[in-house]
Amino acid sequence: MPYAKISIESIAARAKVGKQTIYRWWPSKGAVIVDSFLALSEATTDPESAGSAITLPDTGDLEADLKLVLRATVAEFADRDFEQPIRALTTEIVNDPSLAALYREKLAHPVDEAKKTRLRSAQRAGQLAEDADLELVLEVLYAPLFQRWLYRSGPLTAQYADSLVEATLRAFRP
Amino acid sequence: MPYAKISIESIAARAKVGKQTIYRWWPSKGAVIVDSFLALSEATTDPESAGSAITLPDTGDLEADLKLVLRATVAEFADRDFEQPIRALTTEIVNDPSLAALYREKLAHPVDEAKKTRLRSAQRAGQLAEDADLELVLEVLYAPLFQRWLYRSGPLTAQYADSLVEATLRAFRP
């Protein structure tokens, strides 16, 4: 269903509850969407590890590890099943500062922290500049992919993932 | 007015025409938005130069020229008057592939060509790698700024613009 056609009414009908039940818990369609993503991300977190399940591979080779992760991210963005929900989430985030803050705190922040842990390990191993701004490193690595997907402005391929990793490592090598 | 509240009806009322008049020319609210941006971009094009008015400064110093341009872009994104229309445009582009294609062809492509002309000049001057993929260079330069604005995930400052230029030039130096 195209996102503009989804409504609190259609969500309530699908859930077989009255729309007041939905409104009691969520102030808007966007809040429902963000909470769905949050529930999904918690469901995929390993319960054994008490909420700190997100880790990136660390084989000691930063370039190889980032290529693995970025190729998986590219594949996810190119997946048609992922397409509609993430566009719905993005639409809400673009237009609602409070949902953008909720998204950053609950969904983006824990993942970014896991990525930064991997980057700090690379700094200690002398594979990334000690004074690199890790926020900027993550933006240079991921934002081009996100923008290309959002504007549908170019192919999302493993080769593109590799090019992004290589450009990022050239920009922030010791 | 928040974008979700804008409708063909409200556009028609504001323009003092019937809504059928709007529907005769534009299939959707998104099409009205894209055409408004296009009209604005044509209005700011110098009529003397027959449509090829977009050029980037070329003082011979790529780093200085890109910092000037990127600082202006950061200032534009941080401008509250620019905020609502560009969020409206982005919302439409996220959800409508045909509007995304129209945006790329009519608005993004001419600007990107002007930027590439400047980058090619830098390649000839030995300030940028001869084999640099110019699409990728532009993505690394601009996408982090766009994403930071979109998610409201960090400050948009002249210093940030400078950091992006410096990271990009390190990634693609000869």
Side-chain angles (χ1 to χ4, degrees):
Chain A
M1 187 185 284
Y3 186 61
K5 299 263 163 73
I6 297 175
S7 62
I8 291 286
E9 285 77 3
S10 69
I11 292 167
R14 186 80 168 253
K16 298 195 168 69
V17 298
K19 76 178 180 181
Q20 287 313 315
T21 305
I22 304 291
Y23 276 121
R24 194 176 309 143
W25 298 103
W26 292 279
S28 66
K29 177 170 85 167
V32 178
I33 300 282
V34 172
D35 262 12
S36 310
F37 272 86
L38 191 54
L40 274 172
S41 80
E42 284 168 351
T44 54
T45 298
D46 178 5
E48 299 287 293
S49 53
S52 60
I54 312 165
T55 51
L56 260 62
D58 191 348
T59 65
D61 180 341
L62 180 65
E63 181 168 338
D65 291 349
L66 288 183
K67 283 183 175 175
L68 187 75
V69 171
L70 216 67
R71 281 174 178 224
T73 306
V74 163
E76 189 177 42
F77 273 94
D79 181 344
R80 312 218 74 192
D81 285 344
F82 179 76
E83 187 79 14
Q84 281 306 101
I86 195 75
R87 288 193 188 273
L89 179 67
T90 305
T91 300
E92 295 300 331
I93 287 168
V94 170
N95 290 294
D96 186 333
S98 62
L99 280 179
L102 186 67
Y103 165 81
R104 285 201 313 280
E105 181 198 335
K106 298 285 188 184
L107 288 164
H109 181 74
V111 178
D112 282 353
E113 284 307 304
K115 292 170 183 168
K116 285 182 193 169
T117 298
R118 179 65 191 90
L119 296 179
R120 281 189 205 101
S121 163
Q123 285 176 313
R124 287 191 298 273
Q127 295 178 353
L128 195 70
E130 270 184 50
D131 64 348
D133 172 346
L134 300 188
E135 285 289 337
L136 188 64
V137 175
L138 291 181
E139 288 179 334
V140 168
L141 187 57
Y142 283 91
L145 161 60
F146 173 70
Q147 180 185 275
R148 184 177 275 215
W149 170 79
L150 192 125
Y151 285 135
R152 308 169 209 255
S153 54
L156 297 174
T157 60
Q159 196 220 315
Y160 179 61
D162 290 355
S163 301
L164 279 176
V165 171
E166 289 161 16
T168 303
L169 293 185
R170 285 195 305 269
F172 300 102
R173 66 186 151 200
Chain B
M1 184 184 287
Y3 186 60
K5 299 262 164 73
I6 298 176
S7 62
I8 291 286
E9 286 76 4
S10 69
I11 292 167
R14 186 81 168 254
K16 298 193 169 69
V17 298
K19 76 177 182 182
Q20 286 313 315
T21 305
I22 305 291
Y23 276 122
R24 195 176 308 144
W25 297 102
W26 292 279
S28 66
K29 178 170 84 166
V32 178
I33 301 282
V34 171
D35 261 11
S36 310
F37 271 86
L38 191 54
L40 274 172
S41 81
E42 284 170 351
T44 54
T45 297
D46 179 4
E48 298 288 292
S49 53
S52 61
I54 312 165
T55 51
L56 259 64
D58 191 347
T59 65
D61 179 342
L62 180 64
E63 182 169 339
D65 291 348
L66 289 183
K67 282 183 175 175
L68 187 75
V69 170
L70 216 67
R71 281 173 176 227
T73 306
V74 163
E76 189 178 42
F77 273 93
D79 180 345
R80 313 217 74 192
D81 286 344
F82 180 76
E83 187 79 14
Q84 282 306 102
I86 195 76
R87 288 193 189 273
L89 179 66
T90 305
T91 300
E92 295 299 332
I93 287 168
V94 170
N95 290 294
D96 185 333
S98 62
L99 280 179
L102 186 66
Y103 165 80
R104 285 201 313 280
E105 180 197 335
K106 298 286 189 183
L107 288 164
H109 181 75
V111 178
D112 283 352
E113 284 307 304
K115 292 170 183 167
K116 286 182 193 167
T117 297
R118 179 65 190 90
L119 296 178
R120 281 189 205 102
S121 162
Q123 285 176 313
R124 287 190 299 271
Q127 295 178 354
L128 196 71
E130 268 183 52
D131 63 348
D133 172 346
L134 301 187
E135 286 288 337
L136 188 64
V137 175
L138 291 181
E139 287 178 334
V140 169
L141 186 59
Y142 283 91
L145 161 60
F146 173 69
Q147 181 185 274
R148 184 176 275 215
W149 170 80
L150 192 124
Y151 284 134
R152 306 170 211 255
S153 53
L156 297 175
T157 59
Q159 196 219 315
Y160 179 61
D162 290 355
S163 300
L164 279 176
V165 170
E166 289 160 17
T168 303
L169 293 185
R170 286 195 304 271
F172 299 102
R173 65 188 152 200

